[in-house]
């Protein structure tokens, strides 16, 4: 079983930046996928970015060019660098892992962190 712990959320003004971290505890085999999701109040959880065991990355259209997902295998940590933040990026951000397809479908992900709040003010 994999345990995921997010950190790095906070409040920032529009145009600002934040870097989220996700510490991964437990052994992850090859073929995994880890990613970031977010959920705003009253909205469904949506995929933001993910990365698979080959290092291939995927981004939601709404964050392309602004967010960057990366991982430090030595530290077992996943990152999400968020630049040019907008008020519509305000949400609870979660990291998650799966051995299923690397998609943006939340139900495909089996392990989840507790989330970290991001608030972007205009």
């Amino acid at each position: 079983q994999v345990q995921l712990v997010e950190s790095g959320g906070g409040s920032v003004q529009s145009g600002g930046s934040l870097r989220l971290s996700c510490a991964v505890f437990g052994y992850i085999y090859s073929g995994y996928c880890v990613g970031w999701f977010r959920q705003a109040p009253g909205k469904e959880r949506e995929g933001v970015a993910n990365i698979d065991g080959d290092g291939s990355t995927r981004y939601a259209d709404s964050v392309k060019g602004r967010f960057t997902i990366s991982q430090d295998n030595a530290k077992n940590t996943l990152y999400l660098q968020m630049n040019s933040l907008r008020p519509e990026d305000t949400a609870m951000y979660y990291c998650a892992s799966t051995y299923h397809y690397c998609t943006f479908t939340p139900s495909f992900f089996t392990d989840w962190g507790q989330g970290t709040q991001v608030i972007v003010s205009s």
Side-chain angles (χ1 to χ4, degrees):
Q1 185 176 357
V2 175
Q3 185 180 3
L4 307 165
V5 180
E6 303 96 333
S7 61
S11 296
V12 65
Q13 289 191 328
S14 182
S17 298
L18 283 173
R19 189 177 79 156
L20 305 183
S21 299
C22 174
V24 180
F25 299 94
Y27 188 77
I28 293 185
Y29 297 91
S30 62
Y32 72 89
C33 171
V34 288
W36 290 95
F37 291 79
R38 66 186 182 187
Q39 188 166 17
K43 294 188 177 181
E44 293 187 353
R45 190 169 296 189
E46 62 175 0
V48 175
N50 58 46
I51 185 168
D52 63 24
D54 295 330
S56 297
T57 58
R58 300 159 192 81
Y59 296 92
D61 288 342
S62 59
V63 306
K64 280 181 182 177
R66 300 189 299 121
F67 290 11
T68 302
I69 189 171
S70 62
Q71 58 185 2
D72 185 331
N73 291 329
K75 295 182 179 180
N76 276 0
T77 302
L78 180 72
Y79 301 101
L80 184 68
Q81 178 67 44
M82 304 186 296
N83 299 327
S84 301
L85 282 162
R86 305 166 180 169
E88 53 264 40
D89 294 318
T90 295
M92 185 72 79
Y93 283 71
Y94 301 89
C95 66
S97 67
T98 183
Y99 291 103
H100 298 297
Y101 290 116
C102 207
T103 75
F104 287 139
T105 304
S107 61
F108 276 59
F109 285 73
T110 53
D111 298 288
W112 292 83
Q114 81 290 349
T116 186
Q117 182 71 50
V118 171
I119 298 173
V120 184
S121 57
S122 57

